[in-house]
Amino acid sequence: MTLMMTPIPAPVTLITSRLTPEISGLTSKNQDDRQQWLLSQLRSTGSMRMDEVFPGYEKRFRLSKTTLERDLNGLRRRGAVRFDGKKRTGCWRCV
């Protein structure tokens, strides 16, 4: 007599997708605070490169460079800032 063992399926975990504010159309208070801070930095300096703004952003908000890029691109889509130059050497400016 041979016993056949059938594997027990692993529990199913539902994964909910996390929509970014740009996709969902919502903005969080934290994102608004970060973007306001970015605008104030840009207004006070005239223009900033990513490597110039990131240290202060990271220190203040404890977030990654990717989040900084996302915040700047959100401001760009709203028409508040523009990027001038090449990706590696360009800078962000207020409109």
Side-chain angles (χ1 to χ4, degrees):
M1 182 156 148
T2 306
L3 289 173
M4 298 288 285
M5 300 201 60
T6 55
I8 299 171
V12 176
T13 304
L14 296 176
I15 300 173
T16 58
S17 64
R18 295 179 60 189
L19 298 176
T20 62
E22 293 82 17
I23 294 170
S24 67
L26 303 172
T27 58
S28 69
K29 182 180 182 321
N30 291 338
Q31 183 184 33
D32 288 341
D33 292 345
R34 294 190 316 260
Q35 289 181 343
Q36 288 302 317
W37 182 84
L38 286 168
L39 285 173
S40 70
Q41 296 298 307
L42 286 169
R43 286 184 185 122
S44 67
T45 61
S47 68
M48 292 186 96
R49 293 182 33 195
M50 187 69 93
D51 59 345
E52 294 170 335
V53 72
F54 181 65
Y57 181 89
E58 181 182 40
K59 184 176 181 180
R60 183 175 178 103
F61 299 108
R62 299 177 189 242
L63 294 171
S64 69
K65 192 175 270 192
T66 303
T67 306
L68 169 60
E69 291 171 349
R70 196 175 301 127
D71 284 345
L72 285 167
N73 282 319
L75 288 169
R76 181 182 50 79
R77 280 190 294 279
R78 290 178 17 205
V81 299
R82 73 174 190 266
F83 185 79
D84 291 334
K86 296 182 179 181
K87 184 174 182 173
R88 187 172 173 163
T89 58
C91 63
W92 291 92
R93 299 179 192 276
C94 285
V95 175

